[in-house]
Amino acid sequence: MKHIYKKFLQKFSRNNPSFGKTEYLNAYAHQTDSRIDEDPYEAIGGYWDQIGELQFNFITKKGMKPYHRFLDIGCGTLRGGRFAIAYLDPTNYWGFDISKKAIDYAKNYITDNDLVSKKSVIFFNRDNLKSSKLRGIKFDFLLAQSVFTHLPSDCIEDFFTGLQYAMNSKSKFYFTYVKADKFVKRTPTAFAQPDSFYDELAKKNNLKMTNVSVDYNTPRDQQMIEVMLYE
């Protein structure tokens, strides 16, 4: 099944100008769904233990405490989310993903590992931060690990326009991306962007960005950026 959607992405994203954001996200989500059926760990990028622990240790070293509210963007099958859920106070872990099967797996993981009492909020979402589920909710910490590496630039731009709704003056949002001298489509579902792209997004959305990659020793060739709202 995953090969069907890979061919679909290859054909339409390259040759069909009407293949837009919705079509891409739907196809990519279906591809992820089919991969989760085969291997729920590899489907979300592998390194299940290494990156899972890495992102949790990173965000706690950046100041996340049990009483903080945390949003795990593209939570997948809870590679890192499982550590955050165990650590945070009840109702403080929120996570969403565009893959319905990733969300199903995550909810089953919570039940199977005695984490139901944490009352985490995990849901399917393709509306990013503008989802009605998030309306009126502010988060202290937000993380998008290996999310923008799989999104075309227009989807990333849409995401950034919603940050103001999910953050307050003290919130910190962290995201990874693959750095390149220009926009690069490495595969039908893998993208790299220049620093200037994010610099422009910061200016457009009144954000302050800091490269904190030195604090994030990832096995992937990715940059880690900290984002805050300008007061």
Side-chain angles (χ1 to χ4, degrees):
M1 180 67 72
K2 68 180 180 181
H3 303 298
I4 295 174
Y5 285 107
K6 184 175 181 180
K7 290 180 179 179
F8 178 78
L9 284 162
Q10 287 175 329
K11 177 180 178 181
F12 287 94
S13 60
R14 291 176 181 174
N15 302 324
N16 188 345
S18 65
F19 189 86
K21 290 176 287 188
T22 300
E23 291 81 6
Y24 173 83
L25 290 175
N26 288 342
Y28 181 57
H30 283 302
Q31 183 187 4
T32 302
D33 284 346
S34 64
R35 294 186 66 197
I36 286 172
D37 284 337
E38 297 178 8
D39 189 331
Y41 299 163
E42 286 299 321
I44 48 82
Y47 293 99
W48 176 255
D49 291 320
Q50 186 177 356
I51 290 184
E53 292 180 6
L54 173 67
Q55 65 188 65
F56 173 71
N57 290 336
F58 171 81
I59 203 96
T60 52
K61 286 179 180 178
K62 290 300 180 182
M64 188 174 78
K65 303 297 183 184
Y67 54 81
H68 284 137
R69 184 181 289 139
F70 172 58
L71 180 60
D72 193 357
I73 299 153
C75 64
T77 54
L78 300 182
R79 178 171 58 183
R82 66 195 196 275
F83 299 105
I85 291 170
Y87 172 77
L88 292 168
D89 290 340
T91 74
N92 280 349
Y93 176 89
W94 291 56
F96 69 78
D97 203 279
I98 66 171
S99 165
K100 290 182 178 179
K101 289 196 174 181
I103 294 301
D104 289 342
Y105 184 93
K107 289 180 176 180
N108 288 333
Y109 181 95
I110 286 173
T111 300
D112 295 342
N113 289 273
D114 299 321
L115 293 170
V116 175
S117 63
K118 290 293 187 170
K119 299 179 181 178
S120 302
V121 183
I122 299 175
F123 60 103
F124 167 74
N125 175 27
R126 291 185 191 168
D127 295 323
N128 286 320
L129 300 179
K130 298 174 184 177
S131 166
S132 60
K133 190 88 171 179
L134 298 171
R135 191 169 298 151
I137 307 296
K138 301 286 186 179
F139 296 90
D140 302 295
F141 288 85
L142 306 87
L143 176 67
Q145 163 70 52
S146 298
V147 174
F148 299 158
T149 53
H150 296 291
L151 292 179
S153 58
D154 52 354
C155 290
I156 299 173
E157 290 171 0
D158 279 353
F159 177 89
F160 271 84
T161 62
L163 277 174
Q164 60 180 311
Y165 303 110
M167 298 175 67
N168 58 45
S169 61
K170 294 182 179 180
S171 300
K172 293 181 179 180
F173 166 49
Y174 295 95
F175 72 89
T176 61
Y177 77 101
V178 175
K179 181 178 179 178
D181 293 332
K182 60 182 180 179
F183 289 98
V184 177
K185 189 172 187 178
R186 301 185 297 159
T187 74
T189 60
F191 303 84
Q193 304 89 18
D195 290 339
S196 58
F197 171 66
Y198 291 102
D199 291 340
E200 189 61 32
L201 285 178
K203 292 177 183 178
K204 188 181 299 184
N205 295 285
N206 198 34
L207 304 170
K208 177 173 63 176
M209 291 191 187
T210 305
N211 192 311
V212 292
S213 301
V214 66
D215 301 325
Y216 196 66
N217 187 26
T218 176
R220 300 289 193 188
D221 182 23
Q222 296 181 351
Q223 303 290 303
M224 175 64 83
I225 305 298
E226 178 185 88
V227 180
M228 296 185 71
L229 301 178
Y230 270 118
E231 296 186 39

